[in-house]
Amino acid sequence: MKNPLYWALLVGMTVLLMEQGLPVRSQGDQSDNKMMDNITVKQGDTVTLSCAQGDDVKHTAWLNRSSILYAGEDKWSVDPRVSLMTRNQEEFTIKIENVDMTDEGLYVCAVQTNSRPRTTSVHILVQVPPKIINLSRDIVVNEGSNVTLMCQASGKPEPSISWRLAPSSGDLASDDEYLDIPSISRQRAGTYECTAVNDIDTDVQTVDITVNYAPTVSEGRDVGVTLGQRGVLECEADAVPEADFEWYKDDRRIFNGFDGMEIINTGSLSKLTFFNVSDGDYGNYTCVATNKLGNSNTSFLLYVVIEPTSSTLLQGPRAVQDGSGGAMGVHSHTSLLFIVFLPFLLRF
C-alpha cells in the first residue's frame, strides 16, 4: 500500500499531461478518469469540490494544478480559505471560501482503490465584477477647448464601457473608453458618468467638467424714483468663474458707501441701492461685469418721478403759485409732457 505522497505525485503527473492536452492514462481503464463540467463562480463566493468514493478506497487527495490541498484528512495547503467538508465512503468534499482569480484553474481528485487509481478533474472559472481602474480627473477648461475623457476598467468577462452626460435621459455620449468633446461649449459642462458593465455587475464613476466663459450681462432696466425715496438698480451677469462688478455714474466709478449708495454683490447679481434719492443721483449709470476671460456692461437710467399732492389734484392747474402768492400760470398739459419726456432728456 502506497502512502498519500505517492498518490499526490502520481496525480501531479496526471495534471501535467492534462494541461498539455495529452491523453491521461492510469493503472486502470481510460474510463476510470472523469472530467466534470466546468464550475463558474463569482469572485468572493464559496465553491465546493466533491468526488465520489467507494468501499475499496484506500487513499484520496485533492490537488490544485501541482499543489496538494488535502491528502485524506491531512491538510497540505497553508491557505486558510481551504477546508475539508466531508470525507467518508460516499464522498470527499473540500471548499474554498472567498474565491479569487488566483484560484482559477484545474483541480483533480485522485483516488486509490484496492485495484487501481482513478482521477476526477474539474476546471474552476472565476468571474470578476467590473471595476473602473483608470479614470480622468475633474477638469476646468475654457469654452472652445478640445476635451478628451478616459475610462478603463478590469473584470471578467471583459466589461463594456459607455459615457453619458448626467442627468440626461439615457442618451449615450460614447460607447468607448474615450470620450472626445471638440470645441466644448458651456452647455456641455457638467457631470459625466462612465459605466462599466459585464454579466456580473456594474461600476459607475463620474468626472466633472467646468467650462469657463466670459460674462454676459442682462440688459439694464431704467428705474424711476421719487425724490427722497429709496431706489435700486440691479445688474445680472452670467459667467464662469463668477464675475466681479463695478458701477459707474457717467465716467466716475462708484464705491460702496459713496454719497450714501450701497453696492451688494451676491453671486451673479449686483445691486446698487440709493437710500434717499437726491437731485444729484438722477442720471446715467453703467454696470461692468469682469472675469479673467473678458467683460461685459450695460447701462441704466435713474430718472425722477413726480407724484402730485392731494391739494394739487383738488385745486387743478391754477393752484401752483410762486413765492409771492401770485399765480404762476402753469399749464397741466405742459407739466405732464415734461414728466413723460424727462427720462429721455437725461440720456443726452
Side-chain angles (χ1 to χ4, degrees), residues 38-60:
N38 292 338
I39 297 177
T40 300
V41 60
K42 296 179 182 179
Q43 186 183 41
D45 287 354
T46 297
V47 63
T48 59
L49 303 176
S50 181
C51 65
Q53 302 292 280
D55 295 338
D56 59 346
V57 171
K58 301 301 181 183
H59 299 289
T60 56

Side-chain angles (χ1 to χ4, degrees), residues 254-270:
I254 302 171
F255 294 93
N256 199 19
F258 178 78
D259 286 348
M261 290 179 277
E262 181 183 60
I263 300 173
I264 297 179
N265 299 326
T266 306
S268 62
L269 182 66
S270 180

Side-chain angles (χ1 to χ4, degrees), residues 27-331:
Q27 296 176 7
D29 297 334
Q30 182 70 21
S31 59
D32 291 333
N33 301 309
K34 298 179 180 179
M35 185 69 185
M36 298 170 58
D37 293 334
N38 292 338
I39 297 177
T40 300
V41 60
K42 296 179 182 179
Q43 186 183 41
D45 287 354
T46 297
V47 63
T48 59
L49 303 176
S50 181
C51 65
Q53 302 292 280
D55 295 338
D56 59 346
V57 171
K58 301 301 181 183
H59 299 289
T60 56
W62 267 109
L63 296 91
N64 174 12
R65 295 178 289 271
S66 59
S67 300
I68 305 171
L69 301 178
Y70 266 90
E73 294 183 357
D74 296 329
K75 183 177 180 180
W76 287 47
S77 172
V78 296
D79 193 335
R81 300 174 303 129
V82 181
S83 61
L84 178 65
M85 290 186 63
T86 305
R87 183 177 179 271
N88 52 38
Q89 290 184 345
E90 296 180 358
E91 64 176 286
F92 179 30
T93 303
I94 64 172
K95 70 175 180 180
I96 305 172
E97 299 177 295
N98 194 23
V99 173
D100 203 352
M101 280 296 299
T102 56
D103 299 314
E104 187 171 87
L106 184 67
Y107 289 76
V108 175
C109 175
V111 176
Q112 172 62 30
T113 67
N114 290 329
S115 57
R116 54 176 129 10
R118 70 172 185 267
T119 62
T120 303
S121 57
V122 60
H123 202 100
I124 292 181
L125 302 175
V126 180
Q127 292 184 326
V128 181
K131 181 177 178 58
I132 296 174
I133 57 176
N134 195 0
L135 183 70
S136 295
R137 296 183 178 182
D138 296 345
I139 58 173
V140 179
V141 296
N142 293 338
E143 191 169 34
S145 300
N146 297 325
V147 176
T148 298
L149 300 181
M150 177 187 65
C151 179
Q152 295 177 330
S154 62
K156 187 179 179 183
E158 183 177 355
S160 60
I161 294 177
S162 61
W163 283 98
R164 76 182 183 103
L165 175 60
S168 64
S169 57
D171 181 28
L172 292 180
S174 172
D175 56 358
D176 197 296
E177 292 181 352
Y178 296 93
L179 172 63
D180 293 320
I181 311 173
S183 189
I184 192 168
S185 65
R186 65 192 70 181
Q187 290 77 21
R188 296 300 301 272
T191 299
Y192 285 78
E193 288 183 351
C194 172
T195 303
V197 180
N198 67 8
D199 296 338
I200 310 304
D201 207 346
T202 300
D203 188 21
V204 179
Q205 293 191 33
T206 61
V207 177
D208 288 328
I209 299 181
T210 301
V211 179
N212 291 334
Y213 52 92
T216 302
V217 179
S218 301
E219 184 177 355
R221 189 182 66 169
D222 298 342
V223 176
V225 182
T226 303
L227 192 66
Q229 298 299 308
R230 182 177 180 272
V232 180
L233 301 179
E234 295 186 355
C235 178
E236 188 171 10
D238 178 26
V240 177
E242 287 185 345
D244 296 320
F245 292 93
E246 295 178 358
W247 284 92
Y248 294 84
K249 183 179 183 195
D250 298 325
D251 293 330
R252 183 179 59 173
R253 183 174 177 183
I254 302 171
F255 294 93
N256 199 19
F258 178 78
D259 286 348
M261 290 179 277
E262 181 183 60
I263 300 173
I264 297 179
N265 299 326
T266 306
S268 62
L269 182 66
S270 180
K271 292 183 179 181
L272 176 62
T273 302
F274 306 82
F275 293 100
N276 186 5
V277 174
S278 65
D279 287 332
D281 292 329
Y282 295 117
N284 292 305
Y285 291 82
T286 301
C287 169
V288 180
T290 305
N291 68 9
K292 63 183 181 180
L293 296 180
N295 62 74
S296 181
N297 65 79
T298 188
S299 297
F300 303 82
L301 176 64
L302 184 69
Y303 61 91
V304 64
V305 173
I306 300 177
E307 295 182 355
T309 63
S310 58
S311 60
T312 303
L313 292 174
L314 290 172
Q315 296 175 11
R318 299 204 318 171
V320 181
Q321 299 179 340
D322 61 14
S324 63
M328 296 179 63
V330 177
H331 299 288

